[in-house]
Amino acid sequence: VFSVYKRRSSASLPGRGIDLKQEAKDQVAAGYCCYSSATTLHYTMGHGVHSFVLHPVALQYFLQPAIRIVLPDNASTIYCDRRMLLTGGGESTLSDALQRCLDKFRGSTFTSGCLVGDLHMLLQTGGLLVTESAHLLCEAAPVAFVIEQAGGVALDHTGRRILELAVEEDHNVQVSLVVGSRLAITHLQLGTGTGNGHPKLQVE
């Protein structure tokens, strides 16, 4: 997974910390590659998400299909670590909210064990992708950019839009990441933390 920002420091000097201190919405491009029997590249420059497939003989990427990728409006699948569903105990915990969402839509959970792998499946099936510790600069920001360009929503556990977050002095800050289709997100009400270590996330 990767993202591209405009450089702020002089191009005649090595990169500096100021180049990283930007808001996530300042990205000019983002995407990810998946390596399997076919190598695919999903890429956006702020005008929708497109998929490219590496031809094994020509060794070039070809657009396929020649249409923008749109996130399916589905709420029955949640991509997350199943252990998140086993740490509940109160109405305001993230795990309880996810469980209620599963019950409401008679859904299921799945994870490939890899953020990019889950993102790739999410773009095909819709639903929700939830992780409690995503690196803001290297993971959450590019994932949010891709998801929003595909018609979805990307928030943190307090309901803040990921693309409104900014990198400050700590370049390694991590955030909770909740991304998915608009249908799935609209059935979740995100609020502030409850003081018990769990973010507040309730199903409407």
Side-chain angles (χ1 to χ4, degrees):
V1 62
F2 63 90
S3 60
V4 180
Y5 293 82
K6 290 183 178 180
R7 182 168 177 155
R8 290 184 169 179
S9 64
S10 172
S12 63
L13 299 172
R16 298 189 174 187
I18 191 175
D19 296 321
L20 302 178
K21 295 179 181 179
Q22 301 191 48
E23 292 187 358
K25 65 183 179 182
D26 293 333
Q27 295 173 92
V28 296
Y32 67 90
C33 283
C34 277
Y35 306 96
S36 61
S37 56
T39 300
T40 58
L41 165 67
H42 284 64
Y43 182 71
T44 180
M45 291 184 66
H47 303 285
V49 180
H50 296 276
S51 177
F52 299 81
V53 178
L54 179 63
H55 193 286
V57 177
L59 298 182
Q60 296 181 14
Y61 283 96
F62 291 90
L63 182 63
Q64 183 180 357
I67 57 174
R68 295 179 182 179
I69 294 175
V70 177
L71 188 65
D73 219 6
N74 168 40
S76 62
T77 304
I78 298 179
Y79 296 95
C80 70
D81 189 333
R82 290 185 62 85
R83 288 176 295 183
M84 293 180 64
L85 303 176
L86 304 177
T87 57
E91 293 183 355
S92 59
T93 66
L94 175 59
S95 58
D96 289 338
L98 294 176
Q99 186 62 63
R100 290 196 301 273
C101 190
L102 287 172
D103 294 341
K104 180 180 179 68
F105 293 100
R106 298 182 180 179
S108 60
T109 62
F110 179 81
T111 181
S112 65
C114 171
L115 177 62
V116 172
D118 290 347
L119 171 63
H120 187 64
M121 291 184 289
L122 177 73
L123 286 173
Q124 300 175 59
T125 65
L128 286 169
L129 188 161
V130 183
T131 181
E132 293 183 298
S133 56
H135 192 286
L136 174 58
L137 184 64
C138 301
E139 296 177 324
V143 167
F145 192 21
V146 169
I147 286 295
E148 287 202 4
Q149 287 299 312
V153 180
L155 308 171
D156 72 356
H157 67 278
T158 67
R160 294 177 300 175
R161 181 174 174 239
I162 293 293
L163 294 187
E164 296 293 335
L165 303 181
V167 175
E168 303 295 344
E169 296 300 325
D170 184 4
H171 300 155
N172 294 312
V173 64
Q174 295 185 337
V175 298
S176 294
L177 181 64
V178 181
V179 302
S181 67
R182 292 187 179 276
L183 176 63
I185 293 294
T186 53
H187 286 86
L188 297 173
Q189 182 180 356
L190 295 112
T192 58
T194 61
N196 61 0
H198 296 282
K200 183 179 181 181
L201 186 60
Q202 294 183 326
V203 177
E204 293 181 341

